[in-house]
């Protein structure tokens, strides 16, 4: 961010990539090891599978997203290399597009919005000035399931007890269909809210 060229979310993705490259030496190693290696989104589709989506808005959104990410890749490589050099890591392999796609999916499938000033200890927070909300990634809390009809608040205080076999559901914010298409398991619910699951938010 200090050098310019990347925004707040991309800076967090670079942080994830740098810490993953540090392996067991990272204080985030256990958390990173619990994240998926791949995500079931078009960003990870083989070219032949992606061609099957031609003519759909999902294909167009994926192509646009991938082109943008490839333009950003040199800046991401520099930021990760600088972070690793600062941490004393030498001869790290440069970030590949697949690595960036992993970090992009890990971030956007886990980020959530909460009001500013909640003091989430251990969270990676990014301000959203116009909305009065803050985008955060909270290790542990990000493993909760999500819904446009949440049954729990960000601090896991349930307004009503989950049904037997159910779980705590959280609402995570708003995004357009293009961004939602890039996320693992997300759909665009009513009024643009993002949910996790089927079209009913379950």
């Amino acid at each position: 961010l200090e050098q310019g060229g990347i925004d707040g979310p991309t800076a967090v993705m670079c942080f994830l990539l740098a810490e993953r490259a540090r392996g067991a030496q990272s204080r985030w190693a256990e958390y990173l090891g619990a994240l998926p290696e791949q995500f079931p989104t078009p960003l990870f589709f083989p070219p032949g599978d992606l061609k099957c989506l031609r003519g759909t808005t999902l294909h167009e959104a994926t192509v646009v997203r991938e082109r943008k990410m490839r333009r950003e890749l040199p800046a991401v490589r520099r930021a990760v290399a600088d972070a690793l050099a600062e941490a004393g890591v030498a001869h790290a392999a440069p970030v590949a597009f697949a690595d960036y796609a992993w970090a992009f999916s890990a971030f956007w499938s886990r980020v959530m919005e909460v009001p500013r000033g909640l003091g989430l200890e251990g969270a990676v927070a990014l301000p959203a000035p116009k909305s009065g909300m803050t985008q955060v990634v909270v290790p542990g809390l990000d493993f909760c399931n999500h819904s446009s009809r949440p049954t729990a608040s960000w601090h896991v205080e349930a307004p009503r007890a989950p049904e037997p076999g159910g779980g705590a559901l959280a609402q995570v914010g708003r995004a357009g269909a293009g961004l939602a298409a890039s996320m693992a398991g997300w759909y665009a619910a009513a009024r643009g809210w993002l949910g996790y699951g089927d079209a009913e938010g379950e």
Side-chain angles (χ1 to χ4, degrees), residues 57-195:
T57 54
L58 180 56
H59 181 270
E60 182 181 355
T62 302
V63 169
V64 169
R65 173 60 57 184
E66 182 173 337
R67 283 177 183 162
K68 183 176 187 297
M69 291 174 67
R70 289 192 182 278
R71 288 196 302 271
E72 296 167 345
L73 189 55
V76 168
R77 283 179 175 149
R78 288 193 298 271
V80 172
D82 289 347
L84 289 173
E86 237 181 83
V89 178
H91 310 300
V95 174
F97 178 78
D99 300 321
Y100 186 22
W102 171 84
F104 177 91
S105 300
F107 176 82
W108 285 113
S109 63
R110 279 165 165 72
V111 71
M112 60 189 74
E113 288 184 350
V114 298
R116 286 194 226 166
L118 289 180
L120 287 172
E121 187 176 348
V124 179
L126 301 168
K130 293 182 180 179
S131 67
M133 303 290 283
T134 297
Q135 290 180 317
V136 297
V137 177
V138 187
L141 181 61
D142 62 333
F143 287 104
C144 291
N145 285 328
H146 305 82
S147 172
S148 59
R149 297 197 301 265
T151 61
S153 66
W154 68 268
H155 49 71
V156 199
E157 178 180 298
R160 65 177 188 273
E163 296 294 325
L169 304 174
Q171 194 172 59
V172 296
R174 297 178 181 270
L179 181 57
S182 303
M183 299 179 181
W186 297 90
Y187 68 92
R191 300 179 304 283
W193 284 101
L194 293 177

Side-chain angles (χ1 to χ4, degrees), residues 7-61:
D7 57 16
T10 308
V12 176
M13 295 171 207
C14 292
F15 172 80
L16 293 174
L17 287 166
E19 292 301 312
R20 188 168 76 152
R22 294 183 65 197
Q25 299 301 313
S26 171
R27 65 187 291 259
W28 298 84
E30 290 187 9
Y31 170 70
L32 293 169
L35 297 179
E37 288 292 325
Q38 288 192 327
F39 294 82
T41 71
L43 279 177
F44 291 85
F45 282 9
D49 291 353
L50 189 59
K51 285 181 181 178
C52 295
L53 296 175
R54 279 182 177 171
T56 68
T57 54
L58 180 56
H59 181 270
E60 182 181 355

